[in-house]
Amino acid sequence: LDLTPYLGNLLPAAPVAVTLHLGAVLTGMLMPFWLVVGGFVGTVAHLAAGPVLHRFGFLPRWQAGMDAIQTQIATGIDFWRAFSIGVTLAVAVISVHQVLTTSRRRRDELREQLTGARTDLPGDCQHPDCGRPARVRGYCLRHLGRGDLGLWLAVALFIPAALYPLVLAKTLFPALLTTGLLVTFAGLAFLYAPLVSYLTARLEGFAGREAALPQVDDAARALTGFHGVEVWLVPFPSRTLAGQTEAFRTAELVGLRFTSLLQAELLLVPLILVASLVYWAFLWRLGPIPSEGYPYAQTVWPLRAFDQAMLLSSTIASRTFGPGDSVDGEELPEGQIAWSPRPLQDGQWWCWRVRATRDLEIPDPAKREYGAWSQVGYFATAFKGTGARPALPDPLRQLPARKSREAPGAGDRPPTPVLVWPADGAVVGEPGPALRAAVEGESGDGLAYEFQLDPLPTFAGEPRQRSSEGTLFTAVLWRDLRFTGDRRDNDRDGRVDEEVVNDRDDDDDGKVDEDVGHPLDGRKWPVSGLGAMVGLAGYFCLAAVGLPLLLLWGYVQSVNGVPALLLPQILGALLARLALWRWYGPQEWRRHAMVLAVGFGAGMALVGTFCAILVLMTRIAGSLLS
């Protein structure tokens, strides 16, 4: 139930929605109470902060009439994603501090227990004819009956498992996986993954929590320096396996041997792979995804696509090079500039042009005043190594021949750049070529440039690519230039960039949002710093007053969570806490809640499967009758 379009005037930039689903209520009954309370408090705080942030211009992308998902995307770009990064970093620091403190305290307690009152612990294994030290319940690992594997066998199994992602990545992407990148992958596989898995597994056993670094895979992919999206398809070998310790402990408690668990995995994996392919094909034949046939996917898909697009944009950004930078193995001479666009499509003709500006003090390149465009150049892309280029279209045949020089700008007018490389009609064999231009008669100091690239020589409409446009990743996490000021007095009231985008007349001149400037000039790192301070301050305040720290973890979940789930969850948590705990007792009610949640999920799955089969049979019958 999305109320955001109707409450936009009352609560601007606040996603107000409620999930009408009994599963969320049952989840609230089962989850730790203070965790749900923390998530609810965080959601209410963010709903209250939305109108305030919009009033002061921190949420310029939000517009009245947006639904909850659109509001989450718009406000996420403007503020909340950068804020959540800071909170996540604070939580990582808090987790490490907490588990280290807890593990140190429990280790001291165990040492005192072993050297103090507990004198009945056997020193050797109780199994006959075994002199090994006792490890668990008076037995060594071999005679404990859990099916433990020997250390040499565990290492022998780990090595091919760690090498598999490297071999697969090199096989699928031979050009992408350079020697340096393979060395980095090997370090992640054989150093980072086992070390962090061991440490977090021990910390989870001592403190009940993991302390893994957040988004290591995403950061490693973004920092590889690769230009394109293929790096996000490469299997990274940095996955930690500390979470499996909980599954192993559960298996031990219910009497399941580790070898039996391994046999079950060997049986289930091929069945699941085949069944999943059949199931996916079946679902896709029922209707495209997302579509009206899958309303939940159609509603939530834009938010998931936004998250993925933000990460992928970090490696497909265009790059501009100046004099002295290395381009294609050589240093750019004085007076030349180069631009490498986002990866281009193969087998097409591309047109490009350049212009210059002196307005370097204006942050947003789109707001600067430029000089004349250079002549239009054109080239073809052919990446298969054959050197064959596509047929030259007629509009490109009519372009005038490229001149060697252009007249420099007169006075303060920026000069007109000259295209240097590639030559007209050339064939380019890489998806991101470094297009070069030069400024005749000037050194190029004090100038900025804008490249444009498009399949049409007229550049009609919005060009396919521009060097002045940034990436979504940069706009979300570092600096967003779209709503920064232009350093001009656009309304001629004697003030520069005094308005903010909030649908209000901030300067009382009768105009709304006419001379805008972002409060932080588009910078996002202060927002991330604010999130880190809020996370750390919340932790120390809760610890000082003695409130449960689960409040903080619930708040962290609310930062990136869907607010529609929190209202039914808090209803379920309050119902369990205030009524059902008194009737059944906390421990007994948790058993009932688990049975209810599992039964509800099984019933939903059965009903969903029956409906899917019914739809399939209906469509088959319809195709036969037609």
Side-chain angles (χ1 to χ4, degrees):
L1 179 61
D2 191 354
L3 302 176
T4 308
Y6 310 103
L7 300 178
N9 294 327
L10 181 63
L11 294 173
V16 183
V18 181
T19 297
L20 304 179
H21 195 283
L22 185 59
V25 179
L26 296 176
T27 302
M29 293 180 178
L30 189 60
M31 292 174 62
F33 176 75
W34 291 109
L35 186 70
V36 180
V37 172
F40 179 74
V41 170
T43 299
V44 173
H46 291 173
L47 292 178
V52 177
L53 293 173
H54 182 259
R55 172 66 179 85
F56 289 98
F58 288 95
L59 304 176
R61 279 182 169 79
W62 183 84
Q63 297 178 2
M66 286 185 172
D67 59 19
I69 298 298
Q70 293 172 340
T71 299
Q72 282 191 276
I73 294 175
T75 58
I77 297 176
D78 290 333
F79 189 88
W80 291 116
R81 293 293 174 174
F83 184 84
S84 67
I85 289 294
V87 174
T88 302
L89 294 177
V91 167
V93 174
I94 293 170
S95 299
V96 173
H97 173 265
Q98 189 180 31
V99 296
L100 288 178
T101 302
T102 306
S103 62
R104 189 183 301 112
R105 182 176 67 250
R106 293 195 178 185
R107 185 180 64 246
D108 295 340
E109 293 175 355
L110 181 61
R111 184 182 297 112
E112 293 177 0
Q113 190 178 33
L114 293 176
T115 58
R118 292 292 302 275
T119 58
D120 57 336
L121 294 176
D124 296 331
C125 179
Q126 299 180 14
H127 191 273
D129 302 328
C130 181
R132 295 183 179 84
R135 300 294 297 275
V136 181
R137 295 194 294 272
Y139 291 92
C140 65
L141 294 181
R142 174 177 295 182
H143 296 110
L144 187 60
R146 300 187 307 186
D148 294 78
L149 302 178
L151 181 60
W152 65 270
L153 183 56
V155 173
L157 293 175
F158 167 75
I159 291 177
L163 287 175
Y164 170 72
L166 303 180
V167 175
L168 183 62
K170 187 63 177 177
T171 303
L172 296 178
F173 303 96
L176 169 61
L177 270 296
T178 60
T179 302
L181 202 53
L182 278 176
V183 172
T184 303
F185 278 21
L188 291 173
F190 291 97
L191 295 178
Y192 172 81
L195 180 61
V196 174
S197 296
Y198 175 74
L199 291 177
T200 53
R202 287 186 62 85
L203 292 174
E204 185 172 358
F206 277 118
R209 289 190 59 84
E210 295 185 18
L213 296 177
Q215 298 176 323
V216 172
D217 279 4
D218 299 336
R221 295 174 197 271
L223 296 176
T224 55
F226 180 77
H227 195 214
V229 298
E230 292 85 354
V231 71
W232 295 95
L233 306 177
V234 176
F236 260 49
S238 60
R239 180 185 175 215
T240 59
L241 303 175
Q244 297 297 325
T245 56
E246 183 178 354
F248 289 156
R249 179 59 174 161
T250 303
E252 181 187 10
L253 290 175
V254 299
L256 179 65
R257 292 169 56 90
F258 292 167
T259 51
S260 300
L261 186 63
L262 177 60
Q263 294 172 5
E265 291 289 333
L266 294 177
L267 174 65
L268 288 176
V269 166
L271 293 178
I272 291 175
L273 288 176
V274 175
S276 298
L277 293 174
V278 174
Y279 191 59
W280 294 336
F282 162 71
L283 288 178
W284 186 259
R285 288 182 179 275
L286 291 181
I289 303 174
S291 66
E292 295 181 356
Y294 302 97
Y296 178 80
Q298 188 177 23
T299 302
V300 180
W301 177 82
L303 186 60
R304 305 286 175 84
F306 160 70
D307 292 333
Q308 189 171 6
M310 181 186 69
L311 294 175
L312 266 61
S313 68
S314 63
T315 58
I316 62 173
S318 62
R319 294 172 288 184
T320 303
F321 306 92
D325 295 335
S326 178
V327 177
D328 296 334
E330 61 181 19
E331 190 175 293
L332 275 182
E334 189 69 25
Q336 281 197 17
I337 37 91
W339 176 60
S340 177
R342 298 193 303 269
L344 302 177
Q345 188 175 352
D346 190 14
Q348 281 196 4
W349 283 96
W350 299 95
C351 301
W352 64 294
R353 59 182 182 177
V354 194
R355 60 180 178 176
T357 180
R358 300 187 190 276
D359 295 339
L360 304 183
E361 72 280 0
I362 301 177
D364 187 2
K367 299 183 177 71
R368 298 170 179 171
E369 293 184 355
Y370 291 86
W373 285 106
S374 67
Q375 285 188 282
V376 176
Y378 59 95
F379 62 92
T381 51
F383 306 151
K384 299 180 181 179
T386 59
R389 63 179 182 178
L392 186 66
D394 291 336
L396 298 185
R397 298 178 188 272
Q398 302 173 4
L399 289 177
R402 182 186 299 182
K403 298 179 181 179
S404 59
R405 294 180 63 87
E406 290 284 344
D412 292 335
R413 186 170 62 87
T416 303
V418 177
L419 307 185
V420 176
W421 186 90
D424 289 342
V427 177
V428 175
E430 55 181 331
L435 311 179
R436 303 188 191 183
V439 177
E440 299 290 343
E442 292 193 17
S443 62
D445 295 337
L447 294 175
Y449 305 89
E450 182 186 36
F451 289 75
Q452 286 191 0
L453 186 99
D454 198 74
L456 300 176
T458 58
F459 291 86
E462 186 71 15
R464 184 71 59 87
Q465 289 196 46
R466 297 182 302 173
S467 61
S468 59
E469 60 184 0
T471 63
L472 182 60
F473 182 83
T474 304
V476 171
L477 299 181
W478 184 246
R479 193 178 187 186
D480 185 4
L481 301 177
R482 179 178 177 184
F483 295 97
T484 55
D486 57 4
R487 308 302 192 261
R488 301 187 183 98
D489 183 12
N490 297 317
D491 51 5
R492 299 180 182 179
D493 61 351
R495 289 175 288 180
V496 174
D497 301 337
E498 75 278 2
E499 289 263 352
V500 292
V501 181
N502 57 6
D503 299 325
R504 295 171 181 265
D505 182 14
D506 297 314
D507 53 3
D508 297 325
D509 62 351
K511 304 175 184 177
V512 175
D513 300 344
E514 79 283 356
D515 195 11
V516 299
H518 192 272
L520 299 177
D521 209 18
R523 296 180 179 88
K524 296 300 179 66
W525 60 265
V527 179
S528 299
L530 176 64
M533 289 190 295
V534 169
L536 293 174
Y539 170 73
F540 288 112
C541 290
L542 291 176
V545 300
L547 289 175
L549 292 179
L550 283 176
L551 284 168
L552 178 61
W553 310 131
Y555 168 75
V556 172
Q557 291 180 357
S558 69
V559 174
N560 288 325
V562 180
L565 295 173
L566 271 300
L567 181 59
Q569 283 184 0
I570 192 65
L571 291 178
L574 292 175
L575 178 62
R577 179 90 173 193
L578 301 179
L580 299 175
W581 281 20
R582 297 180 180 179
W583 296 343
Y584 295 94
Q587 191 63 27
E588 185 66 21
W589 167 247
R590 289 191 179 98
R591 296 192 181 98
H592 289 291
M594 178 65 70
V595 174
L596 285 175
V598 173
F600 179 82
M604 290 289 293
L606 291 175
V607 172
T609 303
F610 172 77
C611 294
I613 294 175
L614 185 61
V615 170
L616 180 62
M617 294 176 61
T618 304
R619 295 195 176 186
I620 293 176
S623 62
L624 293 177
L625 293 177
S626 61

